[in-house]
Amino acid sequence: RLSWVFNLDRPKWQDPRVRKAIELMFNYEWSNKALFYGLFARINSIWENSDLAATGVPTPEEAALLKPLVDEGLLPASILTDEVVMGSVSSEGSALDRRNLRRASQLLDEAGWPVGDDGIRRNAKGETLRMEMVHSRADLLPVMNAYVENLRALGVDASFDIIDDPQLQERASPPNFDFDALPTTVVNGGLEPGGVLKQAWASVAKDNSSRNRMGYANPAVDKLLDLADAATSSDELRNVIRALDRVLRSEFVIVPRYYKRDNWVAYYNMYE
């Protein structure tokens, strides 16, 4: 699923309030209307458009998997009662949604990133909230330019740079991981997730897997991944993945973008 992933090895992205603020500034509704003719659909789940996606509050089966992790102090108790996290909703009438701008500003203020006299946010050490995004695809420019403008309105020193494929491969792969955020496909292992999930989400893959570019590590997720490996039926696997989806979404580790809901076909009737 196409999303932006944060480089969690960098201290500024380790606060979920900062990550949520960044997510709030992506205006999917405006992008889909103004740039894509309404052809795309919003990604909310890492397993979007499948029965593996978590919905609503946890089912009894999900809660049974999550409760031991809450009891161990690995997850907050709210994971058992809260609705699953969905992508923020913006106004389609303007690229910059003022309501979400205010919410994001409050989150960054609380996280210790106030706006300076020059309009750029800095922490107590005087470090700017820099967000450098890179990719090799020029077709991303329209949506990325709008996103960067929104982030700069928030006080984030944001940029998006087009680089060539070898540079991208070098910067986005271990051991370099030289980026703040990266537009990429989030690995979900498909409709029957298996061992590939550990390459993307397990703590052991934090610094050495090109599938775990964000440097993600969470002991609660490690335990859920073990349960996915041990699942002996499709129902059991489905419940584990839904619980996993719920946990990952609650941490705002990705900024979900959009996906192609339909198969597009172009044809020419040469026999008319």
Side-chain angles (χ1 to χ4, degrees):
R1 295 292 179 256
L2 290 171
S3 302
W4 289 275
V5 302
F6 295 97
N7 184 348
L8 299 177
D9 279 335
R10 297 188 172 177
K12 58 189 170 185
W13 305 126
Q14 292 172 10
D15 189 326
R17 293 172 296 183
V18 176
R19 300 194 297 266
K20 174 59 178 175
I22 297 300
E23 188 271 339
L24 280 164
M25 300 316 296
F26 172 55
N27 189 333
Y28 157 74
E29 286 75 15
W30 176 86
S31 298
N32 195 36
K33 179 181 179 181
L35 303 176
F36 306 131
Y37 305 97
L39 293 173
F40 288 100
R42 182 68 188 271
I43 293 172
N44 286 295
S45 167
I46 293 170
W47 283 269
E48 186 67 44
N49 198 30
S50 78
D51 65 353
L52 299 178
T55 58
V57 298
T59 63
E61 293 80 8
E62 289 177 59
L65 298 170
L66 296 168
K67 181 68 162 57
L69 303 178
V70 172
D71 293 342
E72 290 183 52
L74 299 179
L75 291 175
S78 58
I79 198 75
L80 298 172
T81 56
D82 286 355
E83 294 267 344
V84 68
V85 169
M86 304 291 283
S88 59
V89 177
S90 303
S91 168
E92 66 178 22
S94 172
L96 180 62
D97 186 297
R98 296 287 177 179
R99 180 188 58 180
N100 284 348
L101 177 62
R102 288 191 294 271
R103 290 176 60 199
S105 296
Q106 181 178 358
L107 286 169
L108 291 183
D109 288 343
E110 293 172 357
W113 291 95
V115 178
D117 293 337
D118 58 355
I120 299 297
R121 293 183 179 270
R122 290 178 171 80
N123 61 14
K125 297 179 181 178
E127 300 167 333
T128 62
L129 185 51
R130 173 83 176 125
M131 184 174 178
E132 182 188 17
M133 297 175 280
V134 295
H135 210 279
S136 60
R137 285 177 49 187
D139 64 306
L140 292 175
L141 276 172
V143 68
M144 293 302 299
N145 286 342
Y147 189 32
V148 165
E149 287 301 311
N150 284 355
L151 289 168
R152 295 192 71 83
L154 179 62
V156 178
D157 184 14
S159 67
F160 175 65
D161 298 314
I162 300 295
I163 59 179
D164 59 34
D165 284 321
Q167 279 185 297
L168 180 63
Q169 183 67 23
E170 181 178 2
R171 293 184 61 174
S173 300
N176 298 318
F177 295 123
D178 181 18
F179 60 89
D180 286 314
L182 189 71
T184 189
T185 301
V186 176
V187 176
N188 64 14
L191 297 179
E192 294 183 356
V196 69
L197 283 180
K198 288 193 173 181
Q199 298 176 39
W201 298 103
S203 297
V204 294
K206 176 181 179 298
D207 298 315
N208 53 40
S209 173
S210 60
R211 289 177 169 169
N212 187 356
R213 298 185 191 275
M214 68 179 74
Y216 183 84
N218 182 334
V221 166
D222 290 338
K223 290 179 180 288
L224 289 173
L225 293 174
D226 288 338
L227 291 175
D229 275 351
T232 58
S233 70
S234 58
D235 286 342
E236 190 177 348
L237 178 62
R238 185 184 305 113
N239 290 325
V240 174
I241 297 303
R242 287 176 177 173
L244 176 62
D245 185 39
R246 186 176 301 277
V247 171
L248 294 175
R249 289 160 66 179
S250 73
E251 296 187 310
F252 306 106
V253 292
I254 67 171
V255 177
R257 288 198 287 166
Y258 40 82
Y259 74 102
K260 194 169 63 172
R261 172 173 42 198
D262 307 303
N263 292 318
W264 298 348
V265 178
Y267 66 93
Y268 171 61
N269 181 6
M270 61 183 291
Y271 300 109
E272 62 183 354

